[in-house]
């Protein structure tokens, strides 16, 4: 091998190494940190501390709300509530349970009112009204949200549900949502 | 060798550019850059603007700086808090709700967060600074100018009228225009301070009575002197604007007796003469929808019409339908209709739906006791609340109606619901699911025994087919007629209760 050929090979190897290091650096900086997705599909930093929450999903077979555990990042109360609602709308892990409301529904706003009341402002693009539900579905959907939020959030005693910024007398024509609701433990299935 | 050097330069340049891209912060979000001005008195201040669905948004920070109040981000991140005088308003981006304490005030457009802080719609300013400070806001888009004015003091006529009926004194203050006011309640004294306007009282002060000893209308203040041992509630009625005070003895037994006397019609229920049938849902509110497209609102209307005809044919009763066609109606209007008709029985018809497809059968619901307890707590809280006079005018009345009706009629509702369930189970040969309780809005406020019947599950394809068939509908109607007939017989065969406040001697 000539001197010139050997020099070219070494230089090529150095450049290839530099390119590889650069590529790895760029990719790692672009990601920022190691991340994963939580139960609600939200990208979270899995390196930070996590907390466990219990979510309550409607059952497909009985008339109860069934518990599922989730880990969500430890954060402010508002972010915690947003993670809980996102996970509920994303749906359960068990195939015997259902998401309380369609996944296209969004949590537009969270307000902490006086007297331990939290206001969840829900909406769905291009939908003036909440979804049409039967009374059993509505009962389970409403209390899936109320119980999951209130029972996981210290200091929250009642949950008011808004739709597009207004508090409807009922979401789907049955359950009274014209006032903040306290959790309904009677709807919760007993733990196995 | 030149080629090699050039290649190295290219590689370094590429690495530098990649590194630079990775390190550069994200560019700030684009802003519209629109700036208008607010004219406050003789002063002009620049105000950032942002177009939005439903109107223009205005930067709040410079307005707060000029008009007063404090604006800060809430302790929990996204929410913002605006405090004007003693009132705290909470709001957030991308939500059309403005919270004033527990009151929810709808906004015409959703606030956004701009480069200088929150951007809010015009009605936000009207509902905060307008209500608290009496300012008027006028937006002139042609010149991008927001005029902020303090209106010239008005002269409002007020006519006080005091009546005492069945142990409660009711004072109605009727104003010629909507006033701004503040209410200060102390034991034995209520003062209504008029903010900015001047009052005239063309008819003079009314004479006092045993509960409201004196009514004094001044130019800026109305004073009510109350007898010792009284309590009061106030509410607003509109068109014309009236501020109404109910004053009653404050001892619990005295108050309860007063409420009973006020709300219960002065007659005894001696039988089932008027029945209100409520076909659930209607109009754009379809209710549940079955797999093959059957809509709950259509089924409930068809069965309700059939039930009304059968009842009037087979029983000596008057039947009123809350709706006889496909129209939307609020839940509260349905029970209000039953109350107006002095109905003896309220039957709301629905068809159910569940998350799975296996649920089947008919069920009968009465109002849950938890809902009853919560409403009672709400009523107590409402009674203790003071200072704000702009609440829902019907709320207190609703609570009283509910309290009364549920205390007196829940057990009757359960008795009737049991008969309905027995008849439906027998006709449909179903396992007895028992009477259920739920916090259904349509059962609140009915001043009579009230049940909600779920006639079947649209989410069950087999049951959906049954429900569509006329034969099955007739079986349901027959069952309901038999249940109502049994209940009517039960009620009318009881010995009369002569302890009430009836008109029977």
């Amino acid at each position: 091998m000539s001197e010139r050929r050997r020099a070219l090979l070494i230089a090529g190897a150095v450049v290839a190494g530099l390119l590889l290091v650069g590529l790895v650096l760029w990719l790692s900086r672009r990601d920022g940190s190691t991340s994963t997705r939580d139960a609600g599909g939200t990208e979270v930093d899995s390196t930070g501390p996590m907390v466990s929450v219990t979510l309550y999903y409607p059952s497909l077979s009985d008339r109860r709300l069934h518990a599922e555990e989730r880990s969500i990042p430890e954060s402010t109360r508002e972010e915690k509530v947003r993670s809980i609602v996102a996970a509920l709308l994303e749906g359960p892990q068990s195939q015997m349970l259902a998401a309380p409301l369609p996944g296209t529904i969004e949590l537009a706003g969270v307000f902490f009112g006086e007297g331990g009341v939290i206001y969840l402002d829900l909406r769905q693009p291009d939908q003036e009204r909440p979804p049409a539900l039967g009374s059993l579905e509505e009962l389970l959907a409403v209390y899936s949200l109320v119980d999951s939020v209130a029972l996981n959030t210290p200091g929250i005693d009642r949950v008011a549900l808004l739709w597009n910024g207004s508090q409807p007398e009922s979401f789907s024509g049955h359950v009274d949502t014209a006032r903040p609701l306290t959790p309904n433990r009677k709807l919760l299935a007993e733990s196995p | 060798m030149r080629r090699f050097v050039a290649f190295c330069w290219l590689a370094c340049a590429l690495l530098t550019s990649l590194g630079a891209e990775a390190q550069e912060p994200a560019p700030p979000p684009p802003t519209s850059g629109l700036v208008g001005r607010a004219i406050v008195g003789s002063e002009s201040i620049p105000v950032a603007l942002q177009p939005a669905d439903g109107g223009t948004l205005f930067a709040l920070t410079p307005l707060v700086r000029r008009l007063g109040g404090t604006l800060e981000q809430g302790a929990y991140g996204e929410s913002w808090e605006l405090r004007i005088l003693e009132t705290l308003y909470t709001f957030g981006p991308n939500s059309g709700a403005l919270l004033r304490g527990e009151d929810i005030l709808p906004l015409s457009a959703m606030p956004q967060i701009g480069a200088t802080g929150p951007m809010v719609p015009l009605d936000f300013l009207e509902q905060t600074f307008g209500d608290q400070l009496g300012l008027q806001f006028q937006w002139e888009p042609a010149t991008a100018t927001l005029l902020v004015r303090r209106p010239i003091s008005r002269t409002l006529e007020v006519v006080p009228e005091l009546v005492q009926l069945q142990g409660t004194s009711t004072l109605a203050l009727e104003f010629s225009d909507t006033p701004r006011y503040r209410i200060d309640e102390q034991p034995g004294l209520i003062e209504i301070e008029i903010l900015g306007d001047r009052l005239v009282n063309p008819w003079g002060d009314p004479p006092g009575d045993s509960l409201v000893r004196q009514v004094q209308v001044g130019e800026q203040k109305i004073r009510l002197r109350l007898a010792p041992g009284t309590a009061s509630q106030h509410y607003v009625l509109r068109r014309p604007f009236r501020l109404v005070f109910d004053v009653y003895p404050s001892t619990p037994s005295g108050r309860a007796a007063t409420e009973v006397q006020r709300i219960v019609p002065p007659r005894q229920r001696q039988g089932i003469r008027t029945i209100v049938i409520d076909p659930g849902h209607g109009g754009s509110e379809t209710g549940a929808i079955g797999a093959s497209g059957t809509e709950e609102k259509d089924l409930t209307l068809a069965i309700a019409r059939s039930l009304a005809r059968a009842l009037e044919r087979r029983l000596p009763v008057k039947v009123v339908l809350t709706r006889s066609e496909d129209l939307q109606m609020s839940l509260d209007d349905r029970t209000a209709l039953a109350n107006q008709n002095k109905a003896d029985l309220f039957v709301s018809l629905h068809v159910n739906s569940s998350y799975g497809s296996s649920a089947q059968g008919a069920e009968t619901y009465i109002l849950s006791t938890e809902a009853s307890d919560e409403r009672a707590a709400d009523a107590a809280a409402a009674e203790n609340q003071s200072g704000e006079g702009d609440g829902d005018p019907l709320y207190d009345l609703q609570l009283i109606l509910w309290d009364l009706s549920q205390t007196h009629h829940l057990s009757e509702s359960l008795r009737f619901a049991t008969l309905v369930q027995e008849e439906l189970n027998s006709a449909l040969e179903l396992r007895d699911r028992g009477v259920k309780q739920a916090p259904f809005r349509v059962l609140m406020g009915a001043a009579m025994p009230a049940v909600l019947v779920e006639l079947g599950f649209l989410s069950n394809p087999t049951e959906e087919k049954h429900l569509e068939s006329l034969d099955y509908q007739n079986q349901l109607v027959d069952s309901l007629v038999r249940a109502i007939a049994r209940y009517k017989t039960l009620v009318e065969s009881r010995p009369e209760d002569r302890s009430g406040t009836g008109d029977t001697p």
Side-chain angles (χ1 to χ4, degrees):
Chain A
M1 187 183 291
S2 71
E3 200 67 24
R4 180 185 166 88
R5 193 176 175 82
R6 186 180 298 152
L8 273 174
L9 271 174
I10 292 168
V14 168
V15 169
L18 276 172
L19 277 173
L20 189 66
V21 169
L23 189 66
V24 168
L25 266 175
W26 179 63
L27 285 174
S28 66
R29 284 187 184 182
R30 197 177 63 160
D31 282 355
S33 63
T34 309
S35 70
T36 183
R37 285 182 180 277
D38 70 2
T42 311
E43 195 166 283
V44 296
D45 183 354
S46 62
T47 58
M50 306 289 278
V51 291
S52 177
V53 292
T54 306
L55 306 181
Y56 300 98
Y57 290 98
S59 165
L60 293 175
S61 55
D62 66 21
R63 295 148 179 269
R64 292 279 183 272
L65 296 168
H66 289 248
E68 277 195 359
E69 298 293 322
R70 289 285 194 286
S71 286
I72 61 171
E74 191 175 311
S75 55
T76 62
R77 279 205 308 179
E78 179 174 338
E79 284 164 2
K80 184 178 183 184
V81 168
R82 286 184 176 278
S83 296
I84 288 170
V85 175
L88 285 172
L89 297 177
E90 180 76 12
Q93 289 161 350
S94 166
Q95 293 192 342
M96 298 305 295
L97 305 178
L101 291 168
T104 47
I105 286 177
E106 301 165 356
L107 179 61
V110 175
F111 303 98
F112 291 87
E114 294 171 358
V117 178
I118 187 171
Y119 295 80
L120 305 180
D121 186 7
L122 300 167
R123 70 177 173 197
Q124 190 173 18
D126 304 323
Q127 295 293 323
E128 274 185 30
R129 306 186 59 82
L133 300 172
S135 65
L136 180 60
E137 287 171 319
E138 188 185 2
L139 194 65
L140 293 176
V142 164
Y143 282 102
S144 168
L145 288 163
V146 171
D147 288 10
S148 298
V149 169
L151 299 180
N152 285 294
T153 317
I156 295 302
D157 302 318
R158 293 187 294 163
V159 179
L161 298 178
L162 313 185
W163 185 264
N164 283 337
S166 297
Q167 194 165 16
E169 60 173 3
S170 177
F171 257 52
S172 304
H174 312 95
V175 179
D176 176 31
T177 54
R179 66 204 165 86
L181 300 172
T182 52
N184 186 338
R185 292 174 191 270
K186 285 186 177 177
L187 286 174
L188 304 183
E190 287 178 11
S191 301
Chain B
M1 195 64 186
R2 266 186 207 157
R3 266 193 214 155
F4 168 67
V5 172
F7 183 66
C8 285
W9 274 114
L10 189 65
C12 289
L14 179 64
L15 282 174
T16 311
S17 72
L18 289 174
E21 189 184 328
Q23 284 172 356
E24 264 181 22
T31 55
S32 63
L34 289 174
V35 178
R37 57 184 182 145
I39 306 290
V40 186
S42 58
E43 193 181 343
S44 171
I45 54 173
V47 174
L49 307 173
Q50 183 177 322
D53 292 345
T56 304
L57 302 181
F58 304 88
L60 186 57
T61 307
L63 292 170
V64 172
R65 210 174 287 139
R66 177 61 185 80
L67 302 176
T70 57
L71 174 68
E72 52 192 33
Q73 202 160 8
Y76 304 110
E78 271 192 27
S79 301
W80 285 76
E81 293 176 354
L82 171 63
R83 188 177 289 278
I84 304 172
L85 302 177
E86 296 300 311
T87 304
L88 179 69
Y89 297 88
T90 309
F91 63 100
N94 302 316
S95 175
L98 168 65
L99 298 187
R100 184 186 58 200
E102 286 195 10
D103 294 336
I104 300 162
L105 311 173
L107 296 171
S108 59
M110 295 178 186
Q112 302 291 333
I113 304 303
T116 59
M119 309 286 293
V120 298
L122 189 65
D123 57 355
F124 178 103
L125 302 172
E126 290 166 344
Q127 295 187 84
T128 52
F129 291 104
D131 279 359
Q132 293 296 319
L133 306 178
L135 300 174
Q136 284 183 343
F137 293 84
Q138 186 182 340
W139 169 235
E140 293 183 350
T143 56
T145 303
L146 178 68
L147 297 171
V148 185
R149 284 189 292 233
R150 193 175 294 279
I152 298 164
S153 173
R154 300 169 297 174
T155 298
L156 301 180
E157 272 192 11
V158 59
V159 177
E161 190 177 351
L162 179 64
V163 293
Q164 192 175 71
L165 189 66
Q166 296 176 346
T168 293
S169 291
T170 300
L171 174 72
L173 300 166
E174 183 176 323
F175 292 82
S176 56
D177 201 354
T178 304
R180 290 190 314 103
Y181 58 92
R182 189 176 293 141
I183 298 176
D184 180 27
E185 288 181 276
Q186 301 163 26
L189 178 67
I190 299 174
E191 289 188 329
I192 303 125
E193 185 185 355
I194 302 299
L195 305 173
D197 298 320
R198 197 175 68 87
L199 292 179
V200 291
N201 174 13
W203 300 99
D205 298 338
D209 63 22
S210 59
L211 297 174
V212 181
R213 295 281 170 82
Q214 190 181 33
V215 179
Q216 276 183 311
V217 178
E219 281 198 356
Q220 297 290 325
K221 202 171 267 188
I222 302 170
R223 281 195 185 86
L224 315 180
R225 295 191 188 282
L226 310 183
T230 54
S232 69
Q233 295 178 349
H234 62 265
Y235 50 93
V236 167
L237 299 172
R238 294 179 193 278
R239 290 190 292 271
F241 185 95
R242 282 154 291 166
L243 186 55
V244 184
F245 292 83
D246 284 345
V247 181
Y248 45 82
S250 58
T251 55
S253 57
R255 200 195 66 211
T258 304
E259 286 176 356
V260 169
Q261 286 170 359
R262 280 170 54 206
I263 303 302
V264 169
R267 66 182 175 91
Q268 281 189 315
R269 297 195 186 285
Q270 293 174 333
I272 305 297
R273 290 169 295 200
T274 303
I275 300 169
V276 169
I277 306 294
D278 170 42
H281 309 282
S284 65
E285 212 245 292
T286 59
I289 301 174
S292 64
T294 311
E295 294 188 347
E296 182 182 355
K297 64 170 186 172
D298 297 331
L299 280 178
T300 57
L301 182 57
I303 294 169
R305 281 176 173 157
S306 176
L307 176 60
R309 284 194 299 271
L311 281 171
E312 288 191 323
R313 200 169 55 237
R314 289 153 68 176
L315 296 173
V317 293
K318 176 187 165 194
V319 180
V320 177
L321 288 173
T322 55
R323 67 179 179 99
S324 53
E325 54 190 304
D326 182 21
L327 54 83
Q328 198 167 325
M329 190 174 186
S330 82
L331 299 173
D332 291 349
D333 285 349
R334 296 170 194 248
T335 41
L337 187 78
N339 291 339
Q340 284 160 15
N341 279 279
K342 295 183 168 57
D344 302 297
L345 203 53
F346 179 80
V347 183
S348 186
L349 298 180
H350 287 252
V351 185
N352 215 335
S353 179
S354 75
Y355 286 94
S357 59
S358 60
Q360 60 170 341
E363 295 169 337
T364 310
Y365 285 86
I366 62 171
L367 187 65
S368 63
T369 43
E370 285 82 4
S372 303
D373 293 345
E374 285 178 23
R375 295 273 292 207
D378 284 349
E383 279 178 15
N384 292 331
Q385 196 178 16
S386 63
E388 290 187 19
D390 211 15
D392 182 347
L394 296 176
Y395 192 61
D396 287 352
L397 185 58
Q398 279 180 336
L399 289 171
I400 293 164
L401 272 172
W402 165 84
D403 190 22
L404 192 72
S405 62
Q406 294 314 314
T407 305
H408 287 269
H409 302 303
L410 207 57
S411 62
E412 285 302 302
S413 301
L414 176 60
R415 191 163 288 134
F416 173 55
T418 307
L419 297 177
V420 171
Q421 200 57 37
E422 278 178 19
E423 290 296 336
L424 287 170
N425 290 339
S426 160
L428 307 175
E429 296 177 355
L430 294 172
R431 184 169 62 88
D432 184 17
R433 292 182 177 278
V435 173
K436 298 187 183 306
Q437 290 187 281
F440 290 151
R441 179 81 186 179
V442 80
L443 298 178
M444 296 174 175
M448 76 245 8
V451 301
L452 184 149
V453 188
E454 292 284 357
L455 297 163
F457 278 84
L458 274 178
S459 48
N460 181 320
T462 311
E463 205 149 73
E464 183 185 8
K465 276 185 192 162
H466 286 160
L467 286 162
E468 282 179 314
S469 97
L470 205 55
D471 282 349
Y472 194 81
Q473 290 182 12
N474 287 338
Q475 280 185 40
L476 292 170
V477 166
D478 283 345
S479 305
L480 293 171
V481 171
R482 278 197 301 276
I484 291 169
R486 283 175 65 191
Y487 182 67
K488 180 174 163 61
T489 306
L490 185 75
V491 170
E492 292 173 0
S493 62
R494 283 181 197 149
E496 278 187 15
D497 174 12
R498 293 183 181 278
S499 61
T501 57
D503 52 2
T504 317

